[in-house]
Amino acid sequence: MASPPSLFLLLFLLLPIGPAVAGCTENTSFAGFEADLAMVQHQVRGVVRIVDGCSFSVRGFDMLAGSDQVRWFGAAGDDLHNLTMGSRISDLPLNRTFRNESLTIRLSDNASWDQIAVLAIWDEATASDFGHVLLRNAGDNETEPTVAPSPDLSPAPSPASDSLVEHKSKSQIHRQPTMFTNCFALSSRFRLRWTLDPESDSVDIGLEATVGSEYYMAFGWTTPGSSSHMLNADVTVTGFTEEGNPFSDDYFITGYSECLLNKDGKVEGVCPDTIYEGSDPVGLVNNTKLVYGHRRDGVAFVRYERPLVSIDKKYDVPVNVTQNMTVIWALGLLKPPDSIRPYYLPQNHGKPRETAYNYLSLNLSKEVDNCFGPLDAEDKEDQDIIIADAKTPLVVTSGPALHYPNPPNPTKVLYINKKEAPLLRAERGVPVTFSIQAGHDVALYLTSDPIGGNATLRNMTEVMYAGGPEFEGVPASPTELTWLPDRNTPDQLYYHSLFGQKMGWKVQVVDGGLSDMYNNSVLLDDQQVSFFWTLSEDSISIAARGEKKSGYLAIGFGSGMIDSYAYVGWIDNNGKGHVNTYWIDSKDAMNVHPVSENLTFVRCGQENGIITFEFTRPLSPSCSGKIECKNIIDPTTPLKVIWAMGSQWMADNLSERNMHSVASNRPVSVLLLRGSAEADQDLRPVLSVHGFMMFVAWGILLPGGILAARYLRHIKGDGWFQLHVYLQYSGIAIMLLGVLFAAAELRGFYLSLVHVKFGVTAILLACAQPLNACVRPKRPAEGEIASPKRIIWEYFHIIVGRSAIVAGVAALITGMKHLRHRYGSENVQGLTWALILWVLAFALLVMYLEYMEIKRRRIHRSSLKGNWVLGNSEDDDSVDLLHSERTVTKSESQTSGIMEVQLEPLSR
C-alpha cells in the first residue's frame, strides 16, 4: 500500500491540467462537419473537417504563399465588417505555398466553435480573404436546395447560400464549384478537372490555365474512327468576355480555320453548333451549360456541364465513360464577336505541341489526381492598368463593386477613367492630376495603408502622401488634386477614400518612362490609347500605348480606316516586338498594303498584355512616286489620329483573323504644335463661309474695282472713280471679315502653309492701297505735266493693285487645295475647277475689254488728226495712267461744264 505522499503524487500526475485546455471542450455538435473551402484568392482549395471541439483538419489543401500575417481566422460573418472584426484562432503561419497537403490545426485556448460562424484564411496586413468556410451544425437535418452558383467573378459562394450539398450520414459536404473529384495536368499551365454525375448522366468539367483574359481554353472529344484528331471534333470553347464575364459554348470543327462563311451560304471551320443549324431556342444543339467562372491570381477558371450522351447526334460526340477516348485541347487568342459574326472566334492555337495544343486518350471513369499544388502564374495582376501622365487628368468616380481585386470589399468602390479599382502606375518626376468626381462622401487620398479609410480609426499608423478630407467632388463641380512622386516616394502606395475602407487599389511608382521621354501626350478616342510625340526640326518621334490588353495595337493618320496610313505594333511568337507601316485603301484584309517608311529608333514591348511601341520618322519623306511619299505630317495642320486593337497580327499574309476587334469611333485632331487634342469636328461649313467671302472679295469686288478704273474712264463725269472706290473698300471689308471668321474658328493660322502665305501677301497688298491713296500727290493743274512723284505714285498704285489680285487668286486656288487635303471631299475638286473656269472667264473678259480699249484709242487718235476741236478736251482721263501720250487735266472729282464746238471739213 502506497504512502500518502506517493498517492498524492500519482493523483497529481493522472489529473489533467485545467489551464492548458481552458476554453476548449472535446465535445461539440460541429464534430464531423465537412465543407469545401471557397476560393477567394491565392488559389485556395481543400476540404475542412471539424474533428472535435478543439481542432479541425484540412485535406487536399492548396494555397499560394501569403504574407507573414496570414492566419486561420474566426469571424461572425463573411463580409468586410465581420472579417475585419474577427480574431486569430490558430498561430500556425500560412506564409508558404501548400501543395495538396493534409493538416490538423488545434484551436487557440480562447477559441470556441460556438463563437465562430466563418472559418477563414485571413491576411491581416491587407485585410484579404484568401478562402473561407461558413459553418453549419451537422446535427440539424435541414435540407438545402442544390443550386449551381451564378456565373460571375465574385468569390465562390459560401455553403450557406448557393452551394452544392451532399449528405453523408451525419456530416455535410458543401461542394464549391472549384472542387472536383479528378484532376489531370494537360500541360504545365493547363489543367482539366471533372466530376461524373451518374444520376443526371452528365459530367462537370473544369478548365483552368495561367493565361490572359484574351485567351480561350478549349477541350473536347474527337469522333471515334476519324482520320484526323481535329476534324469533326466536338469541343467546348471557354473564356471571358470584354466585360470579364465567363462563357462556355459548344463548337464543332469542320475545317482548319476560324469560322468562315462560304459563298454558298455554308459555314466552315471552328464554329459554334448553333451556326450550323441556325437559332437554337430550346438548347437542342448547344448542350454546354455554364456553371461558374472566375479569374484569380492570373489563373482563368471555367466550370461547365455537358451530357454524356446528347440528343444532338450530328454535332455532339457521345462519351463512353468506361472506355478510353481521344480528347483534344488547345489554348489560343480569342477574337470577340462583332456585328457580322456575333460569336467568339478562337484563333489558331499556334505551336509548340503539348504547350499550345495536344491530344491524348482519357477514361473518365478512372480516378486521376496528378495536379500537385496550385497553378502559379507569373503575372498575377488581373486588374486593368492605368498609366498616369502629366498632360491628362485621371477622372476619379465611384461605382458598384463588380470585380474588386482584394475581397472582401464594400458595395461601392473607386473607378479611374471608367475602370474599376485599376492598378495605377505613376512615374517619378511626372505630376499626376486627379479630377475627383466620386461624390461628397468619398475623399481621395494616397496612403501607405493598404486598407485606407483613415488608419488612425483602427489605432494604426499611416503616411499620407497626397489628398485629404477636402478632396471630394461631383461631376458638376470636380476637385483637382495634383501629386508629384519623387525619388523618396515608395515603390508601392494605395489610393483610397478617407471615409471608407478598401475602396481603391495599388499605386505602383516607377522610374521615368514615356511621359518623361516625350514633350506632349493626349488620350485618343474613348480613352483607350495614349498618344505621345516630340517634334524636332524635320522629324517627329511618336509613341502609342494601349490602355487595355490586346494582341496588337495600331494607330492611323486619317479620318477613317480607309485611305489612312497605319502603324501596327505587335509581339511575335518568339517574344520579339515589331512596328510596321501600312497603307489601307479598303476594309478588306487584302487591301492592307505594307509600305517602306524610314522609321528609326523603333521599339515595341508588351507588359501585362498592354502593348507600347515607339518610332521616329521624318515629317516629309524624302522620296517621290510611291504611296508612302504622300504620308506628310504638317505640324501646323491638325493631325487626325485613329486607333484599333486586335488579337493577332503577322508581318505578311494578312487575313480576316487579323482584323481589329475594337477601334476608335471617330478621329481625334491632334494639334502637334500646341500639344493638345480635340474631338474631330467638321469645319467644312466654317471654311465654306470663309471661302465664299474671299471669292466675293477677290473674285468679284476687287477685280471689278480695277476694271472700273481701267476701262470706264472715257465715261463723262467721275462715276468710274466712285465705282472704283466703293468696290475696293467693299472688297477689303469682306476680305478682313473672312480672315477674322476663319482665324477665330481655326484658332489661328500658320505662315508655313502656302495658302496662308499667298493670303497674307494679298491682304497686305490690298490694305496698302487705301493707305497709298491717302498720300496721293496732288494732281497738276490743267495743261501741266505730271510731277515725278505723281508718276511714281501712279506706277506704285497700279502695280500693287494688280499684284494683289494675282496673290488673291493664288490664295483662292491654294485654299481649295488645302481644303481637299484636309477633308478629301470630292466636292472640293469640283469647286476648284469651277474657280479655275471663273478665272479663265475673267481673263477672257479682260482681253476683250483691252481690245476694245485699244480700238477706241486708235479711233481717238484718228479723230485728232482729221478733226479740229475748239474747246477743252475731256477725253484725256480715258487714257491709261501709264500711257506715253497722256496729258494732265483736272482732278478726278471735277466735272466739265464747258461746251465744245467742233468744226469738221466739208466733204468733197
Side-chain angles (χ1 to χ4, degrees):
M1 185 174 180
S3 62
S6 301
L7 181 61
F8 177 79
L9 179 60
L10 179 61
L11 292 174
F12 177 79
L13 294 174
L14 293 176
L15 289 176
I17 301 176
V21 293
C24 175
T25 59
E26 295 289 343
N27 297 325
T28 177
S29 58
F30 285 90
F33 173 85
E34 283 192 0
D36 292 339
L37 278 165
M39 180 191 296
V40 182
Q41 296 183 70
H42 284 246
Q43 297 300 299
V44 167
R45 280 188 175 92
V47 180
V48 174
R49 177 181 175 83
I50 298 179
V51 178
D52 52 35
C54 297
S55 61
F56 66 96
S57 65
V58 185
R59 68 176 184 271
F61 183 47
D62 285 351
M63 191 189 80
L64 295 174
S67 72
D68 292 335
Q69 298 189 45
V70 180
R71 297 291 190 276
W72 290 100
F73 248 52
D78 60 353
D79 61 317
L80 175 61
H81 173 74
N82 283 305
L83 284 172
T84 53
M85 297 298 293
S87 60
R88 293 184 180 183
I89 62 171
S90 171
D91 291 329
L92 175 68
L94 303 176
N95 57 351
R96 65 177 179 88
T97 297
F98 293 84
R99 295 180 174 87
N100 199 20
E101 300 183 28
S102 296
L103 307 173
T104 299
I105 301 97
R106 186 172 181 83
L107 296 182
S108 301
D109 294 338
N110 58 348
S112 171
W113 293 119
D114 296 332
Q115 302 170 351
I116 300 173
V118 173
L119 176 64
I121 302 173
W122 184 256
D123 187 352
E124 295 179 90
T126 59
S128 301
D129 180 14
F130 289 6
H132 61 262
V133 169
L134 187 62
L135 302 182
R136 282 295 178 266
N137 193 335
D140 57 36
N141 295 320
E142 64 179 6
T143 301
E144 300 181 15
T146 304
V147 181
S150 302
D152 57 16
L153 290 181
S154 60
S158 300
S161 55
D162 298 335
S163 56
L164 306 176
V165 184
E166 295 181 4
H167 295 277
K168 292 187 178 180
S169 64
K170 290 186 177 182
S171 65
Q172 292 181 337
I173 297 181
H174 300 273
R175 306 301 304 185
Q176 290 293 328
T178 55
M179 298 292 291
F180 294 84
T181 306
N182 305 277
C183 183
F184 185 82
L186 299 173
S187 72
S188 60
R189 62 172 184 162
F190 190 20
R191 291 179 177 178
L192 167 70
R193 299 177 184 268
W194 76 91
T195 297
L196 285 173
D197 187 359
E199 296 181 0
S200 63
D201 197 25
S202 64
V203 58
D204 275 37
I205 295 176
L207 303 178
E208 63 176 352
T210 55
V211 294
S213 58
E214 69 273 18
Y215 281 75
Y216 67 84
M217 302 177 291
F219 175 81
W221 279 263
T222 62
T223 301
S226 176
S227 59
S228 170
H229 296 294
M230 184 174 178
L231 291 179
N232 299 319
D234 173 22
V235 299
T236 299
V237 177
T238 66
F240 292 84
T241 66
E242 290 289 302
E243 294 76 26
N245 298 319
F247 73 88
S248 66
D249 287 328
D250 198 0
Y251 280 66
F252 190 74
I253 302 176
T254 57
Y256 295 99
S257 68
E258 69 178 33
C259 190
L260 299 175
L261 182 64
N262 297 330
K263 295 181 179 180
D264 56 2
K266 296 181 179 180
V267 292
E268 183 180 16
V270 184
C271 301
D273 289 6
T274 54
I275 300 303
Y276 294 105
E277 294 295 334
S279 61
D280 182 28
V282 294
L284 298 179
V285 177
N286 186 7
N287 296 294
T288 298
K289 177 184 177 183
L290 176 65
V291 177
Y292 177 77
H294 70 218
R295 287 190 57 83
R296 299 278 190 273
D297 316 302
V299 178
F301 172 80
V302 175
R303 177 172 182 153
Y304 64 91
E305 178 187 355
R306 62 151 291 170
L308 296 174
V309 179
S310 170
I311 60 175
D312 178 15
K313 306 298 183 183
K314 191 173 182 180
Y315 302 111
D316 284 349
V317 174
V319 178
N320 191 330
V321 298
T322 62
Q323 294 182 356
N324 290 330
M325 299 188 66
T326 302
V327 297
I328 61 174
W329 63 266
L331 299 173
L333 293 169
L334 187 67
K335 187 175 182 179
D338 53 37
S339 58
I340 300 177
R341 292 179 288 186
Y343 44 83
Y344 287 93
L345 295 173
Q347 304 298 294
N348 190 289
H349 47 68
K351 296 180 179 180
R353 182 179 167 184
E354 298 184 359
T355 299
Y357 75 100
N358 203 356
Y359 57 88
L360 64 145
S361 181
L362 183 67
N363 189 329
L364 291 182
S365 62
K366 292 183 178 180
E367 292 189 2
V368 179
D369 188 4
N370 65 355
C371 303
F372 184 67
L375 285 175
D376 191 359
E378 293 183 3
D379 179 15
K380 296 181 174 61
E381 186 62 61
D382 277 326
Q383 286 301 104
D384 292 319
I385 298 179
I386 297 291
I387 302 177
D389 63 76
K391 300 295 184 181
T392 307
L394 302 175
V395 180
V396 181
T397 56
S398 60
L402 302 176
H403 313 305
Y404 189 74
N406 185 28
N409 50 269
T411 57
K412 183 173 76 171
V413 296
L414 295 177
Y415 283 65
I416 297 181
N417 289 355
K418 302 180 181 180
K419 298 180 188 250
E420 178 186 357
L423 175 67
L424 179 60
R425 183 170 297 163
E427 299 169 356
R428 291 182 174 89
V430 178
V432 181
T433 302
F434 299 89
S435 177
I436 306 170
Q437 308 173 17
H440 296 302
D441 59 341
V442 177
L444 182 70
Y445 79 123
L446 301 174
T447 173
S448 61
D449 181 27
I451 302 176
N454 194 350
T456 58
L457 299 179
R458 308 190 312 272
N459 296 322
M460 303 291 290
T461 59
E462 66 178 334
V463 179
M464 294 178 58
Y465 293 88
E470 68 274 14
F471 289 96
E472 46 84 12
V474 294
S477 179
T479 300
E480 191 169 279
L481 168 64
T482 301
W483 168 56
L484 180 63
D486 55 29
R487 59 189 302 270
N488 297 320
T489 306
D491 292 340
Q492 181 167 296
L493 301 176
Y494 300 85
Y495 63 91
H496 283 298
S497 169
L498 193 65
F499 303 148
Q501 297 180 6
K502 298 185 72 173
M503 293 187 66
W505 190 226
K506 298 177 182 177
V507 180
Q508 288 184 353
V509 182
V510 299
D511 293 331
L514 293 178
S515 297
D516 292 333
M517 296 167 57
Y518 293 88
N519 295 340
N520 309 281
S521 66
V522 295
L523 275 174
L524 300 183
D525 183 47
D526 207 23
Q527 300 181 349
Q528 297 299 316
V529 175
S530 295
F531 183 76
F532 304 82
W533 75 95
T534 296
L535 281 170
S536 59
E537 183 176 356
D538 56 359
S539 66
I540 180 172
S541 297
I542 293 175
R545 181 182 63 214
E547 301 296 339
K548 63 187 301 184
K549 297 179 180 180
S550 63
Y552 70 83
L553 170 64
I555 60 171
F557 298 158
S559 301
M561 183 175 68
I562 300 178
D563 294 337
S564 68
Y565 293 93
Y567 298 86
V568 182
W570 82 98
I571 309 297
D572 62 20
N573 294 332
N574 298 322
K576 182 181 179 181
H578 301 269
V579 179
N580 279 9
T581 312
Y582 300 87
W583 162 253
I584 304 175
D585 57 10
S586 176
K587 293 185 178 181
D588 189 358
M590 301 301 295
N591 291 307
V592 180
H593 310 288
V595 296
S596 298
E597 275 198 316
N598 183 22
L599 301 184
T600 57
F601 303 103
V602 177
R603 291 191 296 176
C604 181
Q606 188 176 42
E607 184 178 359
N608 297 325
I610 290 179
I611 290 182
T612 301
F613 66 83
E614 307 170 63
F615 62 88
T616 299
R617 53 149 291 176
L619 293 174
S620 180
S622 56
C623 63
S624 61
K626 299 180 181 179
I627 188 66
E628 58 265 28
C629 302
K630 298 180 180 180
N631 187 13
I632 300 173
I633 296 180
D634 185 355
T636 64
T637 302
L639 178 66
K640 294 184 180 180
V641 184
I642 56 178
W643 61 266
M645 298 182 193
S647 58
Q648 187 179 15
W649 195 262
M650 57 186 64
D652 48 19
N653 298 324
L654 296 175
S655 63
E656 295 296 328
R657 72 178 62 179
N658 304 119
M659 300 306 290
H660 61 263
S661 58
V662 60
S664 55
N665 295 318
R666 59 178 179 176
V668 168
S669 295
V670 179
L671 308 177
L672 297 175
L673 291 178
R674 295 183 182 179
S676 61
E678 58 187 15
D680 188 56
Q681 298 177 357
D682 190 354
L683 296 178
R684 279 174 287 189
V686 177
L687 300 181
S688 297
V689 174
H690 165 77
F692 178 76
M693 297 176 74
M694 289 303 181
F695 173 76
V696 171
W698 292 105
I700 299 176
L701 297 178
L702 294 175
I706 293 179
L707 293 181
R710 171 68 177 169
Y711 302 111
L712 298 181
R713 285 173 175 256
H714 62 281
I715 300 177
K716 302 302 179 181
D718 63 344
W720 68 271
F721 181 77
Q722 298 295 331
L723 183 60
H724 170 73
V725 172
Y726 291 154
L727 289 177
Q728 297 302 91
Y729 278 106
S730 299
I732 292 175
I734 294 178
M735 173 194 69
L736 294 177
L737 286 176
V739 171
L740 294 176
F741 192 79
E745 290 296 327
L746 298 175
R747 301 180 183 178
F749 50 86
Y750 303 93
L751 290 176
S752 60
L753 291 176
V754 176
H755 169 65
V756 177
K757 290 178 179 178
F758 277 116
V760 171
T761 302
I763 292 171
L764 293 177
L765 293 175
C767 293
Q769 290 295 74
L771 298 177
N772 180 27
C774 295
V775 297
R776 178 179 56 203
K778 184 178 180 181
R779 194 178 186 91
E782 180 179 350
E784 293 183 359
I785 299 177
S787 66
K789 291 184 178 180
R790 177 73 183 188
I791 295 175
I792 294 174
W793 174 86
E794 290 175 351
Y795 269 102
F796 181 83
H797 187 70
I798 292 175
I799 293 174
V800 170
R802 294 177 182 179
S803 299
I805 290 298
V806 173
V809 172
L812 288 177
I813 296 175
T814 56
M816 299 299 292
K817 181 179 179 181
H818 179 63
L819 185 66
R820 184 171 183 268
H821 172 73
R822 177 165 181 156
Y823 290 101
S825 175
E826 296 180 357
N827 295 332
V828 176
Q829 187 174 7
L831 292 175
T832 303
W833 282 109
L835 178 62
I836 294 175
L837 292 176
W838 175 268
V839 173
L840 293 177
F842 190 86
L844 291 175
L845 176 62
V846 171
M847 294 174 62
Y848 172 76
L849 293 176
E850 191 67 20
Y851 168 76
M852 297 300 296
E853 179 66 12
I854 294 173
K855 183 178 181 181
R856 191 188 65 81
R857 290 176 180 174
R858 289 178 179 175
I859 296 174
H860 175 68
R861 293 194 190 98
S862 299
S863 64
L864 289 178
K865 293 179 180 180
N867 300 327
W868 180 70
V869 179
L870 179 63
N872 185 22
S873 176
E874 291 292 329
D875 56 0
D876 52 351
D877 274 342
S878 65
V879 180
D880 183 50
L881 292 174
L882 301 180
H883 197 275
S884 61
E885 297 180 5
R886 65 181 177 86
T887 58
V888 178
T889 63
K890 300 174 292 183
S891 66
E892 294 87 348
S893 60
Q894 182 180 357
T895 61
S896 176
I898 301 176
M899 297 179 61
E900 64 182 33
V901 178
Q902 181 171 334
L903 300 179
E904 298 180 358
L906 296 174
S907 58
R908 295 176 181 266

